[in-house]
Amino acid sequence: MNALMATKITQQDKDETKLVRHAITDVDAFAELYRRHLTRVYRYHMAHIGNVKDAEDLTSQTFMAVLEGIRSFRGSGSFAAWIMGIASKKRLMFFRRNGSRPEIPLDAALQYPSPDLPTDKAANRRLQLESVSRALRQISPDRSEAIILTFFGGLSNVEAGRVLNKSEAAVKMLVSRGLQDLRERTSLALEVER
């Protein structure tokens, strides 16, 4: 593991690691982790699958795997990255089981509300992402996955790097190049707030 990545563990990650330890034996602690990460996991699956039923099923499967494997979380990185790694594995298993990857409208992933955005900002973001969703299917899978993890999954570049087994710099480059690809395919001027 990259030493720089290991030093970027935040206080929030430390607090969440304590919550994870409690969640091993405390249902309420696990429920809190579920509430904190439900939106990001659902949006991630919805962005890839595009089908509400399958996204809900994969989200349930992800959290069942989290519950079964929570003792294996070591706290060396964020819990968000760990859980998104599980979500990624569940997604890959879904595609292997069902054959090919579907062509999907990613704007459906935005139907799950984000309580932390004011209505006007949420509407603006939705309009931008509807245009982006069409173009996202046309760029390289690595760039698309990095963008989905950071924007739909809400992960930082460091956290996305843990999921993708890439450095923070590599993820930053994938996102940057992916956004450039998207700019070329859309009329929007996208801004990255990372």
Side-chain angles (χ1 to χ4, degrees):
M1 173 173 302
N2 184 327
L4 179 61
M5 287 173 68
T7 61
K8 291 201 175 203
I9 298 173
T10 66
Q11 183 61 42
Q12 179 181 349
D13 293 336
K14 290 177 184 176
D15 293 343
E16 195 158 68
T17 299
K18 290 178 187 175
L19 184 59
V20 170
R21 277 187 250 141
H22 290 300
I24 292 170
T25 58
D26 182 354
V27 172
D28 291 332
F30 186 81
E32 177 59 24
L33 289 171
Y34 176 83
R35 279 189 293 277
R36 288 183 184 186
H37 298 282
L38 174 63
T39 299
R40 82 174 68 236
V41 171
Y42 176 79
R43 283 183 176 177
Y44 174 83
H45 287 309
M46 193 63 185
H48 278 291
I49 307 301
N51 174 299
V52 171
K53 181 189 173 301
D54 290 336
E56 288 173 349
D57 287 347
L58 283 170
T59 299
S60 294
Q61 290 174 28
T62 299
F63 281 102
M64 289 301 296
V66 168
L67 182 61
E68 291 170 4
I70 199 161
R71 291 180 190 275
S72 68
F73 177 70
R74 300 288 173 234
S76 60
S78 76
F79 184 73
W82 184 77
I83 197 170
M84 294 307 288
I86 293 171
S88 178
K89 289 176 183 134
K90 292 295 178 186
R91 172 187 58 87
L92 292 173
M93 288 170 54
F94 174 84
F95 286 132
R96 278 190 212 117
R97 245 188 348 258
N98 296 318
S100 65
R101 184 179 166 146
E103 290 293 319
I104 56 169
L106 295 180
D107 58 330
L110 302 173
Q111 300 303 314
Y112 201 80
S114 181
D116 57 341
L117 283 179
T119 304
D120 60 334
K121 288 186 180 180
N124 187 34
R125 179 172 281 180
R126 180 179 168 85
L127 290 173
Q128 288 179 335
L129 289 174
E130 283 176 356
S131 178
V132 170
S133 69
R134 289 185 296 277
L136 199 52
R137 292 185 304 264
Q138 300 169 5
I139 66 174
S140 80
D142 283 348
R143 292 175 184 177
S144 177
E145 182 69 1
I147 289 171
I148 289 171
L149 283 169
T150 56
F151 288 98
F152 288 92
L155 297 183
S156 69
N157 291 334
V158 171
E159 292 168 328
R162 289 183 183 275
V163 175
L164 297 170
N165 290 323
K166 297 189 182 296
S167 69
E168 176 183 10
V171 171
K172 195 172 187 177
M173 183 62 71
L174 285 170
V175 169
S176 176
R177 288 181 179 169
L179 289 174
Q180 183 60 39
D181 290 348
L182 292 176
R183 282 184 195 103
E184 292 170 3
R185 288 168 174 78
T186 66
S187 61
L188 296 173
L190 301 172
E191 298 298 324
V192 180
E193 299 174 12
R194 298 197 179 276

